Amino acid sequence: MYAQTEERKDQKRVAAHPIAQNKNKEKSKSWLSDNRDASVFQRKIKKLINNNPQAADIVQLYAKSTFAHNTLSSRLIIQRVIDYEAVKSACEKLKIPFEGNKIIEVPDKVMANTKFKDYPEGYVVGLSEEEKKESLTSMQQGPGQEKEYTEATAKDLLSLLGGAAYNHKIGAVVITEKMANYQRNLLHELGHHKQNIVSGFNSDNTTVLLLEYHNVLCNENLFAGPKRVSYGVDQTFSWVTHWNKMKNNEEKNEFLNAKAKVLIQMEEQFYQSLLSSKNKKEKDLDVYGLTAKKLSKALTNVHENPDNGFYVVRALFNMIKQLTSEFS
């Protein structure tokens, strides 16, 4: 669908190649979701339960920190169980409707195979009667998998997704009750919901790592706290010490200009790999283009705000580095 006209090709190339655009501007001036393979879950959960049933409380394969009979209009119940203000705040940040969202909060001791209709009152919001017949196991792993999770709690299963997840099939956010960084994780998962309902991006049509980078950089980083610069290992951490020793903006701008030159080459090589990759999914070019464009806007005033420019070059470096291995 990406090769229908030369004009459309050019449009995507412009969107996906922002660094070179900003380079020209400077001359004139001076990213389950959260889905994992079922067999992996089965092995991990069995090992976790056999070794230490309590260990599931702290298992985080993909850490997202640094990082029932009601609807969202039932404010009294939401305040008692689901954090009403956190949901409302996240929706406002993302500019998506508050009413009608589907949220499942997973409490302690509820089993992975427990149907949502049997959850304690107030923990399941917005699901239809038919959807309430599902369990976390059947929703995340598919029907017929329940026998593999008879000894696992819902919290065990969700811990393997980092404690929170989004299921685009039914459009539901699932989050562990009272988990660390609850508000940020909620914003992240509702960010996946925005990707799905507004843009039509989900793990069926977009590479998961690319989907995650788009969500972190465009949605989760709306959170009022330190911005995440990677989804996974930060490969720019060593830059921070050097950056903090710089005495003035002139030094910082020189550093940013040097990194930008490297990023221009990296981005060009990655874009060509993505363009020709047999592994890319239907929406990958669109999602990458939007993510790169989002970051490029922040580079416009890089000399006026070097610290924000530092965040941008770090995020771009991490994103391109990780995605290159995904599409090579």
PDB file of all heavy atoms in Angstrom, residues 57 59-60 62-65 67 81 83 104-108 155 158-165 173-189:
ATOM      1  N   ASP A  57       5.406 -10.976  42.488  1.00  0.00           N
ATOM      2  CA  ASP A  57       5.074  -9.597  42.827  1.00  0.00           C
ATOM      3  C   ASP A  57       6.095  -8.611  42.291  1.00  0.00           C
ATOM      4  O   ASP A  57       5.792  -7.443  42.073  1.00  0.00           O
ATOM      5  CB  ASP A  57       4.970  -9.437  44.349  1.00  0.00           C
ATOM      6  CG  ASP A  57       3.775 -10.180  44.919  1.00  0.00           C
ATOM      7  OD1 ASP A  57       2.934 -10.648  44.133  1.00  0.00           O
ATOM      8  OD2 ASP A  57       3.694 -10.286  46.141  1.00  0.00           O
ATOM      9  N   VAL A  59       8.462  -9.497  39.645  1.00  0.00           N
ATOM     10  CA  VAL A  59       8.977  -9.820  38.322  1.00  0.00           C
ATOM     11  C   VAL A  59       8.547  -8.759  37.328  1.00  0.00           C
ATOM     12  O   VAL A  59       7.373  -8.446  37.232  1.00  0.00           O
ATOM     13  CB  VAL A  59       8.462 -11.204  37.848  1.00  0.00           C
ATOM     14  CG1 VAL A  59       8.825 -11.434  36.389  1.00  0.00           C
ATOM     15  CG2 VAL A  59       9.079 -12.306  38.695  1.00  0.00           C
ATOM     16  N   GLN A  60       9.496  -8.217  36.570  1.00  0.00           N
ATOM     17  CA  GLN A  60       9.197  -7.207  35.552  1.00  0.00           C
ATOM     18  C   GLN A  60      10.094  -7.487  34.345  1.00  0.00           C
ATOM     19  O   GLN A  60      11.238  -7.069  34.317  1.00  0.00           O
ATOM     20  CB  GLN A  60       9.469  -5.795  36.082  1.00  0.00           C
ATOM     21  CG  GLN A  60       8.627  -5.401  37.271  1.00  0.00           C
ATOM     22  CD  GLN A  60       7.396  -4.648  36.845  1.00  0.00           C
ATOM     23  OE1 GLN A  60       7.397  -3.907  35.890  1.00  0.00           O
ATOM     24  NE2 GLN A  60       6.324  -4.842  37.569  1.00  0.00           N
ATOM     25  N   TYR A  62       9.660  -6.404  31.333  1.00  0.00           N
ATOM     26  CA  TYR A  62       9.792  -5.128  30.640  1.00  0.00           C
ATOM     27  C   TYR A  62       9.362  -4.033  31.599  1.00  0.00           C
ATOM     28  O   TYR A  62       8.197  -3.670  31.643  1.00  0.00           O
ATOM     29  CB  TYR A  62       8.938  -5.090  29.361  1.00  0.00           C
ATOM     30  CG  TYR A  62       9.588  -5.774  28.212  1.00  0.00           C
ATOM     31  CD1 TYR A  62       9.553  -7.149  28.100  1.00  0.00           C
ATOM     32  CD2 TYR A  62      10.256  -5.044  27.235  1.00  0.00           C
ATOM     33  CE1 TYR A  62      10.169  -7.792  27.043  1.00  0.00           C
ATOM     34  CE2 TYR A  62      10.863  -5.667  26.174  1.00  0.00           C
ATOM     35  CZ  TYR A  62      10.815  -7.039  26.079  1.00  0.00           C
ATOM     36  OH  TYR A  62      11.423  -7.669  25.031  1.00  0.00           O
ATOM     37  N   ALA A  63      10.269  -3.496  32.402  1.00  0.00           N
ATOM     38  CA  ALA A  63       9.914  -2.493  33.414  1.00  0.00           C
ATOM     39  C   ALA A  63       9.456  -1.215  32.741  1.00  0.00           C
ATOM     40  O   ALA A  63      10.094  -0.734  31.819  1.00  0.00           O
ATOM     41  CB  ALA A  63      11.116  -2.218  34.299  1.00  0.00           C
ATOM     42  N   LYS A  64       8.368  -0.677  33.219  1.00  0.00           N
ATOM     43  CA  LYS A  64       7.821   0.532  32.609  1.00  0.00           C
ATOM     44  C   LYS A  64       7.917   1.723  33.573  1.00  0.00           C
ATOM     45  O   LYS A  64       7.326   2.752  33.345  1.00  0.00           O
ATOM     46  CB  LYS A  64       6.364   0.308  32.202  1.00  0.00           C
ATOM     47  CG  LYS A  64       6.227  -0.740  31.135  1.00  0.00           C
ATOM     48  CD  LYS A  64       4.783  -0.982  30.782  1.00  0.00           C
ATOM     49  CE  LYS A  64       4.668  -2.085  29.742  1.00  0.00           C
ATOM     50  NZ  LYS A  64       3.286  -2.401  29.431  1.00  0.00           N
ATOM     51  N   SER A  65       8.727   1.570  34.650  1.00  0.00           N
ATOM     52  CA  SER A  65       8.930   2.695  35.537  1.00  0.00           C
ATOM     53  C   SER A  65      10.075   3.535  35.027  1.00  0.00           C
ATOM     54  O   SER A  65      10.812   3.141  34.238  1.00  0.00           O
ATOM     55  CB  SER A  65       9.252   2.193  36.936  1.00  0.00           C
ATOM     56  OG  SER A  65      10.318   1.312  36.895  1.00  0.00           O
ATOM     57  N   PHE A  67      11.415   4.860  35.055  1.00  0.00           N
ATOM     58  CA  PHE A  67      10.462   5.449  34.597  1.00  0.00           C
ATOM     59  C   PHE A  67       9.708   5.578  35.904  1.00  0.00           C
ATOM     60  O   PHE A  67       9.947   4.975  36.654  1.00  0.00           O
ATOM     61  CB  PHE A  67       9.671   4.947  33.793  1.00  0.00           C
ATOM     62  CG  PHE A  67      10.005   4.021  32.814  1.00  0.00           C
ATOM     63  CD1 PHE A  67      10.238   3.509  31.925  1.00  0.00           C
ATOM     64  CD2 PHE A  67       9.997   3.764  32.303  1.00  0.00           C
ATOM     65  CE1 PHE A  67      10.388   2.692  31.063  1.00  0.00           C
ATOM     66  CE2 PHE A  67      10.221   2.960  31.328  1.00  0.00           C
ATOM     67  CZ  PHE A  67      10.239   2.423  30.885  1.00  0.00           C
ATOM     68  N   VAL A  81     -12.092   2.014  44.065  1.00  0.00           N
ATOM     69  CA  VAL A  81     -11.207   0.968  43.571  1.00  0.00           C
ATOM     70  C   VAL A  81     -10.241   1.535  42.534  1.00  0.00           C
ATOM     71  O   VAL A  81      -9.061   1.697  42.800  1.00  0.00           O
ATOM     72  CB  VAL A  81     -12.017  -0.201  42.971  1.00  0.00           C
ATOM     73  CG1 VAL A  81     -11.078  -1.283  42.473  1.00  0.00           C
ATOM     74  CG2 VAL A  81     -12.967  -0.770  44.015  1.00  0.00           C
ATOM     75  N   ASP A  83      -8.490   4.363  40.336  1.00  0.00           N
ATOM     76  CA  ASP A  83      -8.165   5.764  40.628  1.00  0.00           C
ATOM     77  C   ASP A  83      -8.820   6.678  39.592  1.00  0.00           C
ATOM     78  O   ASP A  83      -8.286   6.879  38.498  1.00  0.00           O
ATOM     79  CB  ASP A  83      -6.646   5.939  40.633  1.00  0.00           C
ATOM     80  CG  ASP A  83      -6.217   7.299  41.161  1.00  0.00           C
ATOM     81  OD1 ASP A  83      -7.004   8.256  41.050  1.00  0.00           O
ATOM     82  OD2 ASP A  83      -5.084   7.396  41.672  1.00  0.00           O
ATOM     83  N   ILE A 104      -9.509  -2.741  33.629  1.00  0.00           N
ATOM     84  CA  ILE A 104      -9.543  -3.872  34.547  1.00  0.00           C
ATOM     85  C   ILE A 104      -8.384  -3.692  35.524  1.00  0.00           C
ATOM     86  O   ILE A 104      -7.221  -3.624  35.109  1.00  0.00           O
ATOM     87  CB  ILE A 104      -9.374  -5.215  33.805  1.00  0.00           C
ATOM     88  CG1 ILE A 104     -10.476  -5.380  32.757  1.00  0.00           C
ATOM     89  CG2 ILE A 104      -9.355  -6.383  34.785  1.00  0.00           C
ATOM     90  CD1 ILE A 104     -10.146  -6.404  31.684  1.00  0.00           C
ATOM     91  N   GLU A 105      -8.700  -3.578  36.801  1.00  0.00           N
ATOM     92  CA  GLU A 105      -7.653  -3.476  37.814  1.00  0.00           C
ATOM     93  C   GLU A 105      -7.537  -4.823  38.506  1.00  0.00           C
ATOM     94  O   GLU A 105      -8.528  -5.367  39.005  1.00  0.00           O
ATOM     95  CB  GLU A 105      -7.969  -2.361  38.809  1.00  0.00           C
ATOM     96  CG  GLU A 105      -6.789  -2.056  39.713  1.00  0.00           C
ATOM     97  CD  GLU A 105      -6.831  -0.643  40.262  1.00  0.00           C
ATOM     98  OE1 GLU A 105      -6.848   0.300  39.453  1.00  0.00           O
ATOM     99  OE2 GLU A 105      -6.838  -0.489  41.487  1.00  0.00           O
ATOM    100  N   VAL A 106      -6.320  -5.361  38.512  1.00  0.00           N
ATOM    101  CA  VAL A 106      -6.093  -6.713  39.020  1.00  0.00           C
ATOM    102  C   VAL A 106      -5.703  -6.664  40.497  1.00  0.00           C
ATOM    103  O   VAL A 106      -4.643  -6.145  40.851  1.00  0.00           O
ATOM    104  CB  VAL A 106      -5.002  -7.419  38.205  1.00  0.00           C
ATOM    105  CG1 VAL A 106      -4.634  -8.761  38.829  1.00  0.00           C
ATOM    106  CG2 VAL A 106      -5.476  -7.626  36.756  1.00  0.00           C
ATOM    107  N   PRO A 107      -6.549  -7.214  41.376  1.00  0.00           N
ATOM    108  CA  PRO A 107      -6.241  -7.235  42.812  1.00  0.00           C
ATOM    109  C   PRO A 107      -5.430  -8.473  43.193  1.00  0.00           C
ATOM    110  O   PRO A 107      -5.263  -9.399  42.390  1.00  0.00           O
ATOM    111  CB  PRO A 107      -7.629  -7.278  43.448  1.00  0.00           C
ATOM    112  CG  PRO A 107      -8.451  -8.053  42.467  1.00  0.00           C
ATOM    113  CD  PRO A 107      -7.897  -7.730  41.093  1.00  0.00           C
ATOM    114  N   ASP A 108      -4.937  -8.497  44.418  1.00  0.00           N
ATOM    115  CA  ASP A 108      -4.239  -9.675  44.927  1.00  0.00           C
ATOM    116  C   ASP A 108      -5.189 -10.866  45.000  1.00  0.00           C
ATOM    117  O   ASP A 108      -6.395 -10.708  45.182  1.00  0.00           O
ATOM    118  CB  ASP A 108      -3.683  -9.406  46.327  1.00  0.00           C
ATOM    119  CG  ASP A 108      -2.491  -8.458  46.299  1.00  0.00           C
ATOM    120  OD1 ASP A 108      -1.751  -8.461  45.300  1.00  0.00           O
ATOM    121  OD2 ASP A 108      -2.323  -7.701  47.282  1.00  0.00           O
ATOM    122  N   LYS A 155      -2.252 -11.609  38.946  1.00  0.00           N
ATOM    123  CA  LYS A 155      -1.106 -10.734  39.181  1.00  0.00           C
ATOM    124  C   LYS A 155       0.186 -11.380  38.687  1.00  0.00           C
ATOM    125  O   LYS A 155       1.067 -10.697  38.154  1.00  0.00           O
ATOM    126  CB  LYS A 155      -1.003 -10.409  40.673  1.00  0.00           C
ATOM    127  CG  LYS A 155      -0.046  -9.286  41.004  1.00  0.00           C
ATOM    128  CD  LYS A 155      -0.146  -8.925  42.482  1.00  0.00           C
ATOM    129  CE  LYS A 155       0.836  -7.811  42.837  1.00  0.00           C
ATOM    130  NZ  LYS A 155       0.745  -7.459  44.280  1.00  0.00           N
ATOM    131  N   LEU A 158       0.085 -10.943  34.888  1.00  0.00           N
ATOM    132  CA  LEU A 158       0.269  -9.550  34.493  1.00  0.00           C
ATOM    133  C   LEU A 158       1.673  -9.052  34.803  1.00  0.00           C
ATOM    134  O   LEU A 158       2.196  -8.168  34.113  1.00  0.00           O
ATOM    135  CB  LEU A 158      -0.774  -8.676  35.198  1.00  0.00           C
ATOM    136  CG  LEU A 158      -0.992  -7.264  34.648  1.00  0.00           C
ATOM    137  CD1 LEU A 158      -1.308  -7.300  33.155  1.00  0.00           C
ATOM    138  CD2 LEU A 158      -2.101  -6.562  35.411  1.00  0.00           C
ATOM    139  N   SER A 159       2.313  -9.626  35.812  1.00  0.00           N
ATOM    140  CA  SER A 159       3.672  -9.206  36.151  1.00  0.00           C
ATOM    141  C   SER A 159       4.643  -9.469  35.008  1.00  0.00           C
ATOM    142  O   SER A 159       5.636  -8.769  34.843  1.00  0.00           O
ATOM    143  CB  SER A 159       4.157  -9.921  37.418  1.00  0.00           C
ATOM    144  OG  SER A 159       4.426 -11.286  37.164  1.00  0.00           O
ATOM    145  N   LEU A 160       4.340 -10.476  34.202  1.00  0.00           N
ATOM    146  CA  LEU A 160       5.197 -10.798  33.061  1.00  0.00           C
ATOM    147  C   LEU A 160       5.020  -9.814  31.918  1.00  0.00           C
ATOM    148  O   LEU A 160       5.761  -9.850  30.935  1.00  0.00           O
ATOM    149  CB  LEU A 160       4.921 -12.229  32.580  1.00  0.00           C
ATOM    150  CG  LEU A 160       5.242 -13.314  33.611  1.00  0.00           C
ATOM    151  CD1 LEU A 160       4.873 -14.678  33.075  1.00  0.00           C
ATOM    152  CD2 LEU A 160       6.703 -13.269  33.993  1.00  0.00           C
ATOM    153  N   LEU A 161       4.064  -8.930  32.040  1.00  0.00           N
ATOM    154  CA  LEU A 161       3.863  -7.854  31.066  1.00  0.00           C
ATOM    155  C   LEU A 161       4.302  -6.512  31.654  1.00  0.00           C
ATOM    156  O   LEU A 161       3.993  -5.460  31.116  1.00  0.00           O
ATOM    157  CB  LEU A 161       2.379  -7.775  30.673  1.00  0.00           C
ATOM    158  CG  LEU A 161       1.834  -8.955  29.882  1.00  0.00           C
ATOM    159  CD1 LEU A 161       0.314  -8.927  29.875  1.00  0.00           C
ATOM    160  CD2 LEU A 161       2.365  -8.923  28.462  1.00  0.00           C
ATOM    161  N   GLY A 162       5.025  -6.576  32.771  1.00  0.00           N
ATOM    162  CA  GLY A 162       5.465  -5.342  33.408  1.00  0.00           C
ATOM    163  C   GLY A 162       4.451  -4.787  34.374  1.00  0.00           C
ATOM    164  O   GLY A 162       4.571  -3.663  34.844  1.00  0.00           O
ATOM    165  N   GLY A 163       3.397  -5.555  34.672  1.00  0.00           N
ATOM    166  CA  GLY A 163       2.402  -5.115  35.642  1.00  0.00           C
ATOM    167  C   GLY A 163       1.196  -4.428  35.038  1.00  0.00           C
ATOM    168  O   GLY A 163       0.213  -4.147  35.724  1.00  0.00           O
ATOM    169  N   ALA A 164       1.254  -4.131  33.747  1.00  0.00           N
ATOM    170  CA  ALA A 164       0.134  -3.472  33.066  1.00  0.00           C
ATOM    171  C   ALA A 164       0.184  -3.847  31.591  1.00  0.00           C
ATOM    172  O   ALA A 164       1.242  -4.178  31.056  1.00  0.00           O
ATOM    173  CB  ALA A 164       0.207  -1.960  33.235  1.00  0.00           C
ATOM    174  N   ALA A 165      -0.969  -3.784  30.924  1.00  0.00           N
ATOM    175  CA  ALA A 165      -1.022  -4.167  29.518  1.00  0.00           C
ATOM    176  C   ALA A 165      -2.243  -3.539  28.852  1.00  0.00           C
ATOM    177  O   ALA A 165      -3.150  -3.042  29.526  1.00  0.00           O
ATOM    178  CB  ALA A 165      -1.082  -5.699  29.382  1.00  0.00           C
ATOM    179  N   VAL A 173      -7.662  -1.690  28.997  1.00  0.00           N
ATOM    180  CA  VAL A 173      -6.440  -1.501  29.776  1.00  0.00           C
ATOM    181  C   VAL A 173      -6.514  -2.411  30.992  1.00  0.00           C
ATOM    182  O   VAL A 173      -7.542  -2.486  31.665  1.00  0.00           O
ATOM    183  CB  VAL A 173      -6.301  -0.033  30.233  1.00  0.00           C
ATOM    184  CG1 VAL A 173      -5.214   0.119  31.295  1.00  0.00           C
ATOM    185  CG2 VAL A 173      -6.010   0.870  29.045  1.00  0.00           C
ATOM    186  N   VAL A 174      -5.410  -3.119  31.272  1.00  0.00           N
ATOM    187  CA  VAL A 174      -5.317  -3.972  32.452  1.00  0.00           C
ATOM    188  C   VAL A 174      -4.144  -3.475  33.285  1.00  0.00           C
ATOM    189  O   VAL A 174      -3.042  -3.306  32.761  1.00  0.00           O
ATOM    190  CB  VAL A 174      -5.102  -5.451  32.079  1.00  0.00           C
ATOM    191  CG1 VAL A 174      -5.268  -6.331  33.305  1.00  0.00           C
ATOM    192  CG2 VAL A 174      -6.046  -5.888  30.974  1.00  0.00           C
ATOM    193  N   ILE A 175      -4.361  -3.250  34.567  1.00  0.00           N
ATOM    194  CA  ILE A 175      -3.295  -2.708  35.411  1.00  0.00           C
ATOM    195  C   ILE A 175      -3.366  -3.322  36.806  1.00  0.00           C
ATOM    196  O   ILE A 175      -4.452  -3.612  37.310  1.00  0.00           O
ATOM    197  CB  ILE A 175      -3.384  -1.166  35.476  1.00  0.00           C
ATOM    198  CG1 ILE A 175      -2.159  -0.583  36.172  1.00  0.00           C
ATOM    199  CG2 ILE A 175      -4.687  -0.707  36.129  1.00  0.00           C
ATOM    200  CD1 ILE A 175      -2.002   0.916  35.950  1.00  0.00           C
ATOM    201  N   THR A 176      -2.209  -3.547  37.409  1.00  0.00           N
ATOM    202  CA  THR A 176      -2.136  -4.121  38.748  1.00  0.00           C
ATOM    203  C   THR A 176      -2.528  -3.087  39.791  1.00  0.00           C
ATOM    204  O   THR A 176      -2.051  -1.951  39.751  1.00  0.00           O
ATOM    205  CB  THR A 176      -0.709  -4.623  39.043  1.00  0.00           C
ATOM    206  OG1 THR A 176      -0.317  -5.558  38.031  1.00  0.00           O
ATOM    207  CG2 THR A 176      -0.645  -5.305  40.396  1.00  0.00           C
ATOM    208  N   GLU A 177      -3.363  -3.494  40.709  1.00  0.00           N
ATOM    209  CA  GLU A 177      -3.780  -2.588  41.779  1.00  0.00           C
ATOM    210  C   GLU A 177      -2.577  -2.124  42.596  1.00  0.00           C
ATOM    211  O   GLU A 177      -1.718  -2.917  42.974  1.00  0.00           O
ATOM    212  CB  GLU A 177      -4.778  -3.299  42.698  1.00  0.00           C
ATOM    213  CG  GLU A 177      -5.313  -2.437  43.817  1.00  0.00           C
ATOM    214  CD  GLU A 177      -6.242  -3.191  44.747  1.00  0.00           C
ATOM    215  OE1 GLU A 177      -6.179  -4.441  44.783  1.00  0.00           O
ATOM    216  OE2 GLU A 177      -7.050  -2.530  45.423  1.00  0.00           O
ATOM    217  N   LYS A 178      -2.481  -0.824  42.828  1.00  0.00           N
ATOM    218  CA  LYS A 178      -1.453  -0.215  43.681  1.00  0.00           C
ATOM    219  C   LYS A 178      -0.033  -0.503  43.207  1.00  0.00           C
ATOM    220  O   LYS A 178       0.906  -0.529  44.013  1.00  0.00           O
ATOM    221  CB  LYS A 178      -1.620  -0.688  45.131  1.00  0.00           C
ATOM    222  CG  LYS A 178      -2.939  -0.283  45.758  1.00  0.00           C
ATOM    223  CD  LYS A 178      -3.062  -0.803  47.180  1.00  0.00           C
ATOM    224  CE  LYS A 178      -4.405  -0.429  47.792  1.00  0.00           C
ATOM    225  NZ  LYS A 178      -4.576  -0.962  49.166  1.00  0.00           N
ATOM    226  N   MET A 179       0.164  -0.725  41.917  1.00  0.00           N
ATOM    227  CA  MET A 179       1.517  -0.980  41.417  1.00  0.00           C
ATOM    228  C   MET A 179       2.361   0.293  41.496  1.00  0.00           C
ATOM    229  O   MET A 179       1.834   1.409  41.553  1.00  0.00           O
ATOM    230  CB  MET A 179       1.479  -1.494  39.974  1.00  0.00           C
ATOM    231  CG  MET A 179       1.100  -0.457  38.933  1.00  0.00           C
ATOM    232  SD  MET A 179       1.192  -1.113  37.244  1.00  0.00           S
ATOM    233  CE  MET A 179       2.955  -1.508  37.104  1.00  0.00           C
ATOM    234  N   ALA A 180       3.669   0.118  41.501  1.00  0.00           N
ATOM    235  CA  ALA A 180       4.571   1.267  41.487  1.00  0.00           C
ATOM    236  C   ALA A 180       4.360   2.057  40.210  1.00  0.00           C
ATOM    237  O   ALA A 180       4.079   1.488  39.153  1.00  0.00           O
ATOM    238  CB  ALA A 180       6.024   0.791  41.586  1.00  0.00           C
ATOM    239  N   ASN A 181       4.482   3.383  40.300  1.00  0.00           N
ATOM    240  CA  ASN A 181       4.306   4.250  39.135  1.00  0.00           C
ATOM    241  C   ASN A 181       2.960   4.010  38.446  1.00  0.00           C
ATOM    242  O   ASN A 181       2.879   3.947  37.222  1.00  0.00           O
ATOM    243  CB  ASN A 181       5.454   4.057  38.147  1.00  0.00           C
ATOM    244  CG  ASN A 181       6.791   4.451  38.739  1.00  0.00           C
ATOM    245  OD1 ASN A 181       7.043   5.617  39.024  1.00  0.00           O
ATOM    246  ND2 ASN A 181       7.645   3.460  38.955  1.00  0.00           N
ATOM    247  N   TYR A 182       1.937   3.872  39.267  1.00  0.00           N
ATOM    248  CA  TYR A 182       0.598   3.557  38.762  1.00  0.00           C
ATOM    249  C   TYR A 182       0.145   4.560  37.703  1.00  0.00           C
ATOM    250  O   TYR A 182      -0.319   4.172  36.626  1.00  0.00           O
ATOM    251  CB  TYR A 182      -0.388   3.542  39.934  1.00  0.00           C
ATOM    252  CG  TYR A 182      -1.821   3.246  39.563  1.00  0.00           C
ATOM    253  CD1 TYR A 182      -2.331   1.957  39.677  1.00  0.00           C
ATOM    254  CD2 TYR A 182      -2.682   4.254  39.099  1.00  0.00           C
ATOM    255  CE1 TYR A 182      -3.654   1.675  39.352  1.00  0.00           C
ATOM    256  CE2 TYR A 182      -3.993   3.983  38.764  1.00  0.00           C
ATOM    257  CZ  TYR A 182      -4.480   2.704  38.895  1.00  0.00           C
ATOM    258  OH  TYR A 182      -5.780   2.431  38.557  1.00  0.00           O
ATOM    259  N   GLN A 183       0.271   5.837  37.981  1.00  0.00           N
ATOM    260  CA  GLN A 183      -0.249   6.856  37.072  1.00  0.00           C
ATOM    261  C   GLN A 183       0.494   6.848  35.738  1.00  0.00           C
ATOM    262  O   GLN A 183      -0.117   6.994  34.679  1.00  0.00           O
ATOM    263  CB  GLN A 183      -0.160   8.238  37.723  1.00  0.00           C
ATOM    264  CG  GLN A 183      -1.098   8.400  38.905  1.00  0.00           C
ATOM    265  CD  GLN A 183      -1.050   9.798  39.488  1.00  0.00           C
ATOM    266  OE1 GLN A 183      -0.085  10.533  39.314  1.00  0.00           O
ATOM    267  NE2 GLN A 183      -2.101  10.183  40.189  1.00  0.00           N
ATOM    268  N   ARG A 184       1.805   6.670  35.800  1.00  0.00           N
ATOM    269  CA  ARG A 184       2.576   6.656  34.561  1.00  0.00           C
ATOM    270  C   ARG A 184       2.245   5.415  33.738  1.00  0.00           C
ATOM    271  O   ARG A 184       2.122   5.482  32.509  1.00  0.00           O
ATOM    272  CB  ARG A 184       4.073   6.718  34.862  1.00  0.00           C
ATOM    273  CG  ARG A 184       4.917   6.846  33.612  1.00  0.00           C
ATOM    274  CD  ARG A 184       6.313   7.319  33.903  1.00  0.00           C
ATOM    275  NE  ARG A 184       6.951   7.785  32.672  1.00  0.00           N
ATOM    276  CZ  ARG A 184       7.875   8.717  32.625  1.00  0.00           C
ATOM    277  NH1 ARG A 184       8.293   9.297  33.720  1.00  0.00           N
ATOM    278  NH2 ARG A 184       8.414   9.067  31.471  1.00  0.00           N
ATOM    279  N   ASN A 185       2.122   4.275  34.393  1.00  0.00           N
ATOM    280  CA  ASN A 185       1.768   3.050  33.676  1.00  0.00           C
ATOM    281  C   ASN A 185       0.369   3.135  33.080  1.00  0.00           C
ATOM    282  O   ASN A 185       0.131   2.650  31.972  1.00  0.00           O
ATOM    283  CB  ASN A 185       1.880   1.843  34.618  1.00  0.00           C
ATOM    284  CG  ASN A 185       3.297   1.363  34.763  1.00  0.00           C
ATOM    285  OD1 ASN A 185       3.850   0.742  33.866  1.00  0.00           O
ATOM    286  ND2 ASN A 185       3.909   1.677  35.899  1.00  0.00           N
ATOM    287  N   LEU A 186      -0.549   3.755  33.808  1.00  0.00           N
ATOM    288  CA  LEU A 186      -1.902   3.936  33.293  1.00  0.00           C
ATOM    289  C   LEU A 186      -1.881   4.824  32.052  1.00  0.00           C
ATOM    290  O   LEU A 186      -2.550   4.520  31.043  1.00  0.00           O
ATOM    291  CB  LEU A 186      -2.788   4.562  34.373  1.00  0.00           C
ATOM    292  CG  LEU A 186      -4.252   4.815  33.997  1.00  0.00           C
ATOM    293  CD1 LEU A 186      -4.984   3.501  33.746  1.00  0.00           C
ATOM    294  CD2 LEU A 186      -4.956   5.607  35.096  1.00  0.00           C
ATOM    295  N   LEU A 187      -1.101   5.895  32.098  1.00  0.00           N
ATOM    296  CA  LEU A 187      -0.972   6.778  30.941  1.00  0.00           C
ATOM    297  C   LEU A 187      -0.381   6.022  29.748  1.00  0.00           C
ATOM    298  O   LEU A 187      -0.834   6.192  28.607  1.00  0.00           O
ATOM    299  CB  LEU A 187      -0.085   7.974  31.303  1.00  0.00           C
ATOM    300  CG  LEU A 187       0.171   9.006  30.203  1.00  0.00           C
ATOM    301  CD1 LEU A 187      -1.132   9.667  29.751  1.00  0.00           C
ATOM    302  CD2 LEU A 187       1.159  10.071  30.687  1.00  0.00           C
ATOM    303  N   HIS A 188       0.602   5.184  30.012  1.00  0.00           N
ATOM    304  CA  HIS A 188       1.221   4.390  28.942  1.00  0.00           C
ATOM    305  C   HIS A 188       0.199   3.483  28.270  1.00  0.00           C
ATOM    306  O   HIS A 188       0.110   3.440  27.033  1.00  0.00           O
ATOM    307  CB  HIS A 188       2.370   3.550  29.516  1.00  0.00           C
ATOM    308  CG  HIS A 188       3.069   2.705  28.509  1.00  0.00           C
ATOM    309  ND1 HIS A 188       4.248   3.071  27.897  1.00  0.00           N
ATOM    310  CD2 HIS A 188       2.749   1.483  27.978  1.00  0.00           C
ATOM    311  CE1 HIS A 188       4.625   2.137  27.049  1.00  0.00           C
ATOM    312  NE2 HIS A 188       3.729   1.154  27.079  1.00  0.00           N
ATOM    313  N   GLU A 189      -0.584   2.766  29.075  1.00  0.00           N
ATOM    314  CA  GLU A 189      -1.541   1.822  28.497  1.00  0.00           C
ATOM    315  C   GLU A 189      -2.696   2.539  27.793  1.00  0.00           C
ATOM    316  O   GLU A 189      -3.163   2.098  26.740  1.00  0.00           O
ATOM    317  CB  GLU A 189      -2.067   0.875  29.569  1.00  0.00           C
ATOM    318  CG  GLU A 189      -1.002   0.063  30.290  1.00  0.00           C
ATOM    319  CD  GLU A 189      -0.025  -0.666  29.362  1.00  0.00           C
ATOM    320  OE1 GLU A 189      -0.386  -0.958  28.192  1.00  0.00           O
ATOM    321  OE2 GLU A 189       1.104  -0.937  29.800  1.00  0.00           O
TER     322      GLU A 189
END
